[in-house]
Amino acid sequence: MITANTVAEVRAQVKQWKKEGKTIGLVPTMGYLHEGHASLMKRAREENDIVVVSIFVNPIQFGPTEDLASYPRDFHRDSEVCQRMGVDLIFHPDPEGMYQENFCTYVDMDVLTEQLCGKSRPTHFRGVQTVVSKLFHIAAPDRAYFGEKDAQQLAVIRRMARDLNFDIEIVGCPIVREEDGLAKSSRNAYLNQEERQAALVLSRSIREGKRLIEGGETDAAAVKASMRSIIASEPLARIDYVEIVDGDSLQPMDTINGLVLGAVAVYIGKTRLIDNTGFIEG
Ligand code: AMP
């Protein structure tokens, strides 16, 4: 397994692989890897000759009051996970290597980034789209793997790839959960024991929303009220949003009909966690 810290190293290696006719699967991550990330690597391993994983805590996708400085990092352990998953190359740049002095070019999007996490994190998706575009240009993958855990991100990247003609297949992978239902996340490391228990309200409310939608409930307000009441029962939880949106436009809907996404963002203490139903038919 190769560890590359610079864009030039990745480019040279990718050029060689392309010459040999090899297909490349890219898994972009911010590190502190868990089984959710590993599931993306496994899928990439199955579908490509070469698997590239990027590990980069991308500063421009964090707001000024967010957790950039405290975001958990453990490159040594991440490297072991990648080795175990049969990764060929880890791209682990430093921020200065990705954003040279006077960097001022961004990729942005309307509509899909207006709601859900875009509301409370107004510059987040611009940062995500910009770094993912850069990674697409650097690693030149045939396929790129993203988790449904970040359903809005997946929808945004799919749309960006389509709109900007990236010749890359965007592959969405199901949410990997802990045994008790909590969606795996690097940010779960912030939770103390009591908060870890309280965090179960996210998956419980998502399960309930999914049950109601799949059971034929078409009144979005009724579904949201049931989901909210589960979260409100937990004193350590504070709702950022509970939303049912159209699966294509990610705009809120009153009457559930066709492909939809139920999604929540909840603060458990100081930690903001997200979960969603996946894109389901209502
Ligand atoms: P992150 O390191 O949190 O930026 O995540 C990197 C990629 O892993 C993103 O595409 C995430 O959606 C995906 N991911 C994170 N957690 C999970 C999970 N629990 N299940 C599946 N994919 C995940």
Side-chain angles (χ1 to χ4, degrees):
M1 187 174 68
I2 302 163
T3 298
N5 299 114
T6 67
V7 173
E9 281 170 271
V10 181
R11 281 251 161 86
Q13 191 55 60
V14 164
K15 201 167 166 191
Q16 179 61 31
W17 281 326
K18 294 266 166 187
K19 225 191 311 181
E20 294 166 9
K22 295 194 163 142
T23 58
I24 298 176
L26 171 69
V27 182
T29 83
M30 297 205 300
Y32 214 68
L33 303 175
H34 51 66
E35 284 157 55
H37 300 111
S39 74
L40 272 54
M41 295 179 207
K42 180 165 180 287
R43 181 89 185 265
R45 185 67 284 166
E46 287 162 5
E47 298 180 349
N48 302 278
D49 298 322
I50 297 294
V51 177
V52 173
V53 172
S54 60
I55 297 180
F56 180 56
V57 182
N58 175 34
I60 68 165
Q61 72 185 65
F62 289 78
T65 61
E66 292 181 357
D67 58 344
L68 172 62
S70 60
Y71 196 85
R73 292 159 168 93
D74 186 344
F75 183 73
H76 182 69
R77 200 175 60 92
D78 287 351
S79 184
E80 286 173 355
V81 173
C82 291
Q83 182 88 54
R84 199 173 66 235
M85 298 310 295
V87 169
D88 297 285
L89 184 145
I90 301 179
F91 179 38
H92 183 51
D94 51 31
E96 296 74 29
M98 284 297 268
Y99 300 108
Q100 284 155 301
E101 218 187 325
N102 301 334
F103 181 94
C104 57
T105 307
Y106 298 90
V107 182
D108 212 347
M109 182 181 295
D110 301 332
V111 190
L112 270 65
T113 58
E114 283 164 6
Q115 304 291 329
L116 307 174
C117 292
K119 256 190 179 166
S120 45
R121 308 186 73 189
T123 59
H124 173 67
F125 289 107
R126 181 177 92 143
V128 169
Q129 290 172 81
T130 302
V131 79
V132 169
S133 297
K134 286 167 68 70
L135 292 168
F136 283 0
H137 287 304
I138 295 163
D142 298 274
R143 300 180 189 83
Y145 296 81
F146 295 88
E148 287 176 4
K149 159 81 193 331
D150 301 275
Q152 186 174 20
Q153 170 173 280
L154 174 59
V156 165
I157 298 297
R158 274 192 201 291
R159 185 66 62 87
M160 178 188 84
R162 191 204 68 176
D163 287 355
L164 298 184
N165 306 94
F166 280 102
D167 190 14
I168 296 169
E169 185 189 338
I170 307 301
V171 183
C173 302
I175 302 178
V176 176
R177 296 179 179 280
E178 302 287 355
E179 244 167 55
D180 60 9
L182 179 68
K184 289 196 185 253
S185 165
S186 307
R187 289 192 168 96
N188 291 348
Y190 294 141
L191 304 172
N192 65 30
Q193 220 175 353
E194 204 187 347
E195 291 169 337
R196 170 66 184 77
Q197 196 56 31
L200 291 177
V201 290
L202 280 94
S203 51
R204 277 176 48 216
S205 77
I206 287 298
R207 270 203 304 276
E208 178 62 3
K210 195 166 179 216
R211 189 184 72 78
L212 290 170
I213 294 167
E214 291 182 336
E217 177 59 76
T218 56
D219 181 1
V223 176
K224 286 192 280 189
S226 296
M227 293 170 73
R228 278 180 168 276
S229 74
I230 290 171
I231 301 167
S233 71
E234 171 51 61
L236 291 179
R238 182 167 61 81
I239 292 173
D240 178 4
Y241 65 76
V242 172
E243 201 51 90
I244 313 281
V245 297
D246 177 88
D248 193 46
S249 67
L250 303 189
Q251 297 300 308
M253 55 195 334
D254 296 330
T255 306
I256 296 169
N257 180 25
L259 193 69
V260 300
L261 174 74
V264 302
V266 179
Y267 286 93
I268 302 292
K270 286 198 168 84
T271 305
R272 184 176 176 281
L273 299 175
I274 57 173
D275 201 347
N276 69 81
T277 60
F279 294 92
I280 54 174
E281 285 293 332

